[in-house]
Amino acid sequence: MQQKRITNLWVALILCIGSIIMLAPFVWTISTSLKDQRNVFEIPPKWIPDPATFKNYVTAWNDSPLLSGFMNSMIIVVFVLVIGIFVSTMAAYAFAKIEFPFKDAIFLSLLGTMMIPFSVVMIPQFIGFSSINWTDTLLPLIVPGLFGNIVVIFFLRQYLAGGLPNELVEAAKLDGSGFFRTFWTIALPVAKPAIAAQAALSFMGIWNDFMGPLIYLSSPQKQTIQVLIASMQSQYMGSSNYPVILAASIISMVPVILVFFFCQRYFIESMAISGLKG
Amino acid sequence: MRKSKPSYIRKEYAWAYLFVAAPVLGFLIFGVAPLLYSAWLSFTSWDLVTPPEFVGFDNYIEVFHDEKVYKSLFNTVFMMLGIPIGMIVALLLAIMMNRPLKGISFLRTIYYLPVISPIIAVSLLWQWILNQDFGLLNQTMWSWFGIEGPNWLGDANWIKPSMILMGVWGGVGGTMVLYLAGLQSISSSYYEAAEVDGASAFQKLRLITIPLLTNIHFFVIVMGVIGAFQSFSQIYVLAGDGGPEYSAATVVFYIFENAFKYFNMGYASSVAWVLGIIIFIVTLLQFRLSKKWVYND
């Protein structure tokens, strides 16, 4: 018993040192973002900014359309999450609980899309969207997401197949519940935790997405937050103004960190589950 | 059996098809159609201004003679060294985290934080840390150990290790969570039996833990390789021109440059197809090989 406690103590110590390494870059970033530009290049580095100032955040916020970047990212997230996940849940329910001809073939071909690397389809997608004048709008980033996402469908299908008893579906049918109503009143509530998990994960994915927005959006007012801070880089790194660019990166992290803290349980669980069964 | 189905079944079919219609349409419009279009494009020369010109296999022949293709492919594969490094660190962390310690979920959150952070923000943060003269890393090395650090991002030999370092830091939390889930599914009876036989901690790790996690090793490797083949964003931020001597450019970065900087849509498509085929073959090979080493119970 004694030995076990000593081991635990060592383990805790190692994990704490590790967590310092994991956190240090974040803390250092926050510290830099609060520094006066003159004090940024101090040697040796100071962890506690003196004087501390929030003016870099103000500069970052005022000098570039960060607010519109926020709004653009938000618009994409809301549409894709609400409609995309609803559509995915409908498909997942059909794949999990209904028998229909060619079901497996359809499901497998959808799974096949996961094999297609984005780099292969991005060029034709770009050409297609630009031919209907959708470039420099949010539409190319929203519309494909409205058709559902196969990873979400796969996850929800697994969940419904195991979590929703057939008897329940049959009973609802016998009670005269229509197809859509059965889905709405029986399947949807059962799938709620899984939907929450997928919504949280999708939020991250969309918020952090960079390549798609980079390809489609050119004018600063249309850009998402990620493209915006990446383009601020050339402006501020050139003048070695690290504090402003780091302040902007921290601003861009706030929503994901908030979502993460509120949905943490769902995240880590669904990461683990989709990892193991995917 | 050729009799027509009762009407309520046909009605149910109709509903089911309606329910799966959206993803199927999405698959056709945003998957199959671009795929076919891209295949055709790869046999053309097109700058988006003058009409596309069919050039047969010229692009593909050029791909095989293009030094930058080999270079970016080499860079991409080299940076996959981060996968085994990340796996070892993540497994050790997961084993330690699997103990009933106080505040363990808080620690887990800390390690997981980089995984959820936007890759652009993370790249910018590392750009500052890896700064040659004023960066935290070189400064710390100098003041603690008197070591003069390299020019991480400005030296062709160091930029790839920099990317690996950043990648391991950023990804280890995700892998750790997977291993943690795997560890919790290993029955404690194996360890008890081994203890009776007098196995050492290292033997238990080598003979029980590592083999029983093969399905997770496999998942991490397959996803890691696919992800590494597609890496782009961190290169775009940290080495906007491909790095010194093009030593950081990945294949996707090269495709991006060709398509959206030089508007060589045809050539970019053929490089993309070569990459797609490489990913397909490597993944297929991994699944084949997995039969030799992955246990499934």
Side-chain angles (χ1 to χ4, degrees):
Chain A
M1 243 25 230
Q2 181 70 17
Q3 207 209 329
K4 212 168 194 172
R5 273 184 49 203
I6 293 172
T7 320
N8 277 351
L9 218 63
W10 275 108
V11 165
L13 187 73
I14 295 170
L15 287 176
C16 284
I17 293 171
S19 71
I20 292 172
I21 297 173
M22 297 309 283
L23 276 182
F26 289 114
V27 177
W28 181 240
T29 303
I30 295 172
S31 159
T32 306
S33 74
L34 294 172
K35 282 178 184 167
D36 208 297
Q37 206 199 332
R38 277 171 301 149
N39 301 329
V40 170
F41 300 108
E42 262 177 331
I43 293 172
K46 272 209 195 99
W47 285 84
I48 295 164
D50 177 35
T53 167
F54 278 98
K55 79 168 200 280
N56 300 312
Y57 287 84
V58 178
T59 311
W61 189 262
N62 288 338
D63 274 17
S64 62
L66 277 191
L67 178 66
S68 75
F70 249 85
M71 292 312 291
N72 291 334
S73 291
M74 226 28 161
I75 292 168
I76 300 171
V77 165
V78 168
F79 276 101
V80 174
L81 275 199
V82 174
I83 300 178
I85 291 204
F86 184 70
V87 163
S88 300
T89 317
M90 285 170 64
Y93 171 68
F95 284 126
K97 290 293 157 188
I98 318 293
E99 285 311 317
F100 56 93
F102 309 114
K103 182 166 95 166
D104 293 335
I106 296 172
F107 188 66
L108 284 177
S109 21
L110 288 181
L111 277 183
T113 35
M114 290 203 293
M115 281 294 296
I116 305 173
F118 179 60
S119 52
V120 173
V121 290
M122 75 181 177
I123 295 169
Q125 281 189 3
F126 172 80
I127 294 170
F129 284 125
S130 70
S131 73
I132 50 173
N133 289 321
W134 278 12
T135 44
D136 211 22
T137 73
L138 299 181
L139 290 169
L141 300 163
I142 294 174
V143 174
L146 303 182
F147 290 83
N149 175 311
I150 182 60
V151 180
V152 180
I153 295 174
F154 181 74
F155 183 85
L156 293 176
R157 187 193 82 133
Q158 300 299 88
Y159 190 88
L160 283 174
L164 176 64
N166 286 329
E167 294 77 25
L168 209 60
V169 177
E170 291 303 320
K173 262 190 234 166
L174 287 179
D175 287 347
S177 165
F179 192 91
F180 189 81
R181 224 181 99 195
T182 312
F183 163 73
W184 184 261
T185 55
I186 311 274
L188 214 51
V190 168
K192 237 189 219 162
I195 291 174
Q198 288 304 312
L201 277 177
S202 305
F203 178 90
M204 302 271 124
I206 300 165
W207 190 268
N208 295 347
D209 184 22
F210 176 67
M211 201 174 186
L214 175 71
I215 290 168
Y216 292 116
L217 308 170
S218 44
S219 48
Q221 282 71 23
K222 300 276 172 58
Q223 282 168 352
T224 62
I225 187 86
Q226 305 300 336
V227 184
L228 213 57
I229 61 162
S231 66
M232 282 174 78
Q233 179 203 20
S234 51
Q235 187 187 341
Y236 287 97
M237 285 307 183
S239 57
S240 289
N241 200 338
Y242 279 98
V244 171
I245 188 79
L246 292 178
S249 341
I250 289 173
I251 295 175
S252 80
M253 280 190 208
V254 171
V256 275
I257 306 246
L258 283 180
V259 170
F260 178 62
F261 274 101
F262 285 112
C263 313
Q264 214 194 120
R265 190 165 53 91
Y266 296 127
F267 258 111
I268 295 195
E269 264 170 32
S270 69
M271 269 289 294
I273 294 168
S274 53
L276 292 181
K277 295 188 181 149
Chain B
M1 284 307 285
R2 294 292 306 164
K3 260 198 293 184
S4 72
K5 296 260 183 346
S7 74
Y8 71 91
I9 289 195
R10 264 186 291 141
K11 212 169 144 196
E12 190 162 271
Y13 286 172
W15 273 106
Y17 284 127
L18 191 70
F19 267 44
V20 299
V24 169
L25 270 175
F27 163 74
L28 294 174
I29 301 172
F30 302 108
V32 176
L35 207 61
L36 296 174
Y37 191 33
S38 163
W40 177 76
L41 273 179
S42 73
F43 292 102
T44 67
S45 167
W46 193 19
D47 57 6
L48 287 180
V49 184
T50 47
E53 189 193 330
F54 187 80
V55 294
F57 280 96
D58 282 8
N59 288 333
Y60 286 97
I61 294 166
E62 201 186 323
V63 170
F64 284 102
H65 291 96
D66 187 343
E67 213 175 294
K68 280 190 162 180
V69 168
Y70 290 104
K71 190 137 201 183
S72 56
L73 200 57
F74 171 76
N75 295 339
T76 312
V77 173
F78 189 96
M79 289 184 226
M80 287 180 194
L81 275 177
I83 302 171
I85 299 173
M87 286 170 73
I88 294 168
V89 178
L91 180 60
L92 292 175
L93 284 172
I95 290 170
M96 290 192 277
M97 293 242 177
N98 204 24
R99 288 172 163 269
L101 298 171
K102 267 198 201 112
I104 200 76
S105 68
F106 181 67
L107 279 173
R108 234 186 279 171
T109 308
I110 291 176
Y111 285 87
Y112 199 69
L113 215 52
V115 180
I116 54 140
S117 302
I119 190 160
I120 298 306
V122 164
S123 306
L124 290 169
L125 160 178
W126 277 90
Q127 184 165 46
W128 174 221
I129 288 172
L130 297 172
N131 183 302
Q132 185 186 9
D133 299 316
F134 304 99
L136 183 64
L137 191 58
N138 280 359
Q139 278 297 317
T140 312
M141 287 205 301
W142 176 248
S143 53
W144 287 10
F145 312 106
I147 300 170
E148 203 167 322
N151 186 359
W152 294 97
L153 299 171
D155 184 327
N157 294 317
W158 282 102
I159 192 158
K160 281 192 278 283
S162 305
M163 297 289 171
I164 293 172
L165 175 70
M166 191 181 105
V168 169
W169 176 85
V172 79
T175 315
M176 177 198 76
V177 167
L178 295 177
Y179 275 131
L180 210 49
L183 286 176
Q184 279 159 4
S185 71
I186 298 179
S187 156
S188 59
S189 60
Y190 290 113
Y191 293 106
E192 283 154 17
E195 261 160 48
V196 170
D197 290 343
S200 70
F202 180 71
Q203 281 173 322
K204 280 189 275 184
L205 173 72
R206 195 170 61 89
L207 299 170
I208 302 175
T209 313
I210 293 178
L212 285 179
L213 293 173
T214 46
N215 56 342
I216 298 175
H217 304 316
F218 178 64
F219 180 78
V220 172
I221 294 172
V222 170
M223 296 312 277
V225 169
I226 292 178
F229 267 129
Q230 316 227 41
S231 60
F232 168 78
S233 306
Q234 66 273 45
I235 312 297
Y236 183 86
V237 172
L238 292 171
D241 53 356
E245 296 162 41
Y246 219 59
S247 53
T250 56
V251 185
V252 174
F253 182 85
Y254 186 56
I255 296 168
F256 176 86
E257 265 198 335
N258 266 293
F260 301 106
K261 211 161 139 192
Y262 310 128
F263 299 107
N264 292 328
M265 291 299 178
Y267 187 63
S269 300
S270 27
V271 180
W273 269 92
V274 171
L275 176 68
I277 290 164
I278 291 175
I279 295 178
F280 182 76
I281 292 172
V282 169
T283 310
L284 204 69
L285 222 62
Q286 285 177 314
F287 272 91
R288 281 277 158 80
L289 287 174
S290 76
K291 291 192 184 108
K292 292 205 197 308
W293 66 275
V294 175
Y295 294 106
N296 273 313
D297 34 36

